[in-house]
Amino acid sequence: MEGHIETRLTRRTMLGAAAVLASVPGAAFAQIQPGDEVIELWPGDPPGKTDARIVRKIDDQSHDPAKPDRWVTGIDRPVLVVRRPARPNGSAVLVVPGGGYGFLSYDNEGISQADWLNARGITAFILLYRLPGEGWSRREDVPLQDAQRAMRLVRARADRFAIRPDRVAVLGFSAGGHLAGSLATRHAERVYEPVDEADRLAARPDVAGLIYPVVSLDAPFAHGGSRDNLLGPDASPAQRRARSVELRVDAETPPVFLLHTVDDDVVPVANSIAMFQAMQAAKRPVAMHVFEEGGHGFGVRLPATMPASVWPSLFAAFAARHGVFAESGA
């Protein structure tokens, strides 16, 4: 439990302030994990490129080479990191790490999630998306541009990865949950100009898992750091509402799985409750699991003695119930 509390406090400090990471330069994303298969999202410069100098940085929170906990900033070229299972069952998940739209929690909410998905035969695509405050024009659209493009590329290359294009989920954490929720509710919104044939494909996920998610950018319980990093500190109420996920739910929103803990003192549980109520009002399939304790940013690191640690099995069962995962993965 002590290790969990230390991790949570470190993340809370990072999310709650405009802290500067004590980082060391990294090279290409392909070098974060030697041997990983990496797919660049855009054939040329990503949308919204400016003259801003964006420098890749990686900060390992754990300082233990055997158990890395790397946070990534300086994302000039967004990519998908592909993690394949030994025996793929046809299902896939777009994994979206969080970090308040100010960094990406690569190991905790990327690699660790790919590991349990791979163990169930599910192919994982970790999305390393651009951070809106790093010098892009139309900053508020930049993460969603990458998420839409990523989902379309996964479907365009379904045969290559032995997956079915109608069995692709998205799984997002914290601010990554906001991005996953935005993809689920704004998948058809045109936020970039098409660049190739892949952009003819649907960006709608077949199931969305939102784990301790940022949902509202306008309500009193909104996470201010994520909101300001995405929209800028001077966003109008109309801009905040337009990108509040619970206000964008409609008849085309896919089934949504929500997980939160009561003691989350970074992103209040009210975010998941607001999303649950919006899904109910729209008569869309939804499940919400609220646990007593666990805090924020725990990924799959909770000890087995804590009830919230079972959430991956709950999500797998939900996705199987809606035909996205194989029943054996439940």
Side-chain angles (χ1 to χ4, degrees):
M1 178 64 107
E2 291 179 358
H4 164 62
I5 292 173
E6 180 181 350
T7 298
R8 187 179 72 182
L9 289 175
T10 301
R11 185 183 176 99
R12 180 175 64 195
T13 301
M14 185 62 191
L15 290 173
V20 177
L21 293 176
S23 307
V24 295
F29 269 122
Q31 295 177 324
I32 290 181
Q33 191 75 31
D36 270 346
E37 186 175 1
V38 176
I39 301 172
E40 293 223 22
L41 293 190
W42 305 97
D45 290 333
K49 182 176 173 57
T50 67
D51 293 332
R53 183 171 179 265
I54 302 173
V55 179
R56 184 76 42 76
K57 294 182 180 179
I58 304 168
D59 182 44
D60 191 344
Q61 300 296 296
S62 75
H63 307 293
D64 179 357
K67 297 179 180 178
D69 186 11
R70 292 162 290 184
W71 291 356
V72 182
T73 59
I75 300 167
D76 57 338
R77 298 194 68 83
V79 299
L80 289 169
V81 178
V82 186
R83 299 295 290 256
R84 302 185 190 227
R87 287 183 285 276
N89 63 18
S91 298
V93 172
L94 179 65
V95 180
V96 188
Y101 284 123
F103 67 97
L104 298 183
S105 181
Y106 180 68
D107 289 294
N108 182 37
E109 294 167 353
I111 293 295
S112 295
Q113 309 308 320
D115 287 345
W116 73 260
L117 290 164
N118 286 172
R120 287 167 165 83
I122 300 160
T123 305
F125 297 83
I126 305 169
L127 175 60
L128 295 169
Y129 54 94
R130 290 171 293 154
L131 301 171
E134 292 191 331
W136 305 95
S137 65
R138 289 175 54 194
R139 62 186 289 167
E140 67 276 9
D141 289 333
V142 161
L144 185 57
Q145 290 169 348
D146 290 347
Q148 286 187 359
R149 175 71 177 169
M151 184 61 72
R152 290 170 174 139
L153 282 180
V154 169
R155 288 198 166 109
R157 304 185 185 190
D159 288 346
R160 170 179 166 184
F161 296 109
I163 62 174
R164 285 178 43 175
D166 60 347
R167 286 172 53 182
V168 185
V170 66
L171 181 63
F173 301 80
S174 193
H178 180 270
L179 181 51
S182 298
L183 182 64
T185 55
R186 300 171 57 202
H187 51 85
E189 184 175 332
R190 187 164 176 169
V191 292
Y192 67 89
E193 294 299 318
V195 296
D196 57 27
E197 289 299 310
D199 288 323
R200 295 179 178 271
L201 300 175
R204 178 184 183 270
D206 296 300
V207 158
L210 312 184
I211 312 303
Y212 39 83
V214 175
V215 171
S216 180
L217 299 186
D218 188 52
F221 51 80
H223 182 252
S226 297
R227 178 195 63 218
D228 292 348
N229 281 335
L230 179 64
L231 304 179
D234 300 319
S236 68
Q239 289 173 310
R240 295 177 181 185
R241 288 192 296 271
R243 289 165 180 83
S244 291
V245 177
E246 81 279 15
L247 301 181
R248 305 303 298 269
V249 173
D250 61 19
E252 297 302 315
T253 302
V256 169
F257 172 96
L258 296 155
L259 172 79
H260 231 111
T261 62
V262 175
D263 68 345
D264 189 333
D265 58 356
V266 176
V267 177
V269 67
N271 281 270
S272 283
I273 293 172
M275 186 64 180
F276 179 78
Q277 292 174 332
M279 291 289 288
Q280 279 196 310
K283 296 181 168 46
R284 300 302 299 147
V286 62
M288 179 172 65
H289 297 272
V290 177
F291 291 90
E292 178 185 7
E293 59 180 344
H296 188 78
F298 48 80
V300 289
R301 296 176 175 177
L302 295 178
T305 54
M306 296 184 69
S309 66
V310 303
W311 76 261
S313 293
L314 295 174
F315 173 65
F318 180 82
R321 174 73 178 81
H322 290 283
V324 179
F325 288 0
E327 290 292 341
S328 60

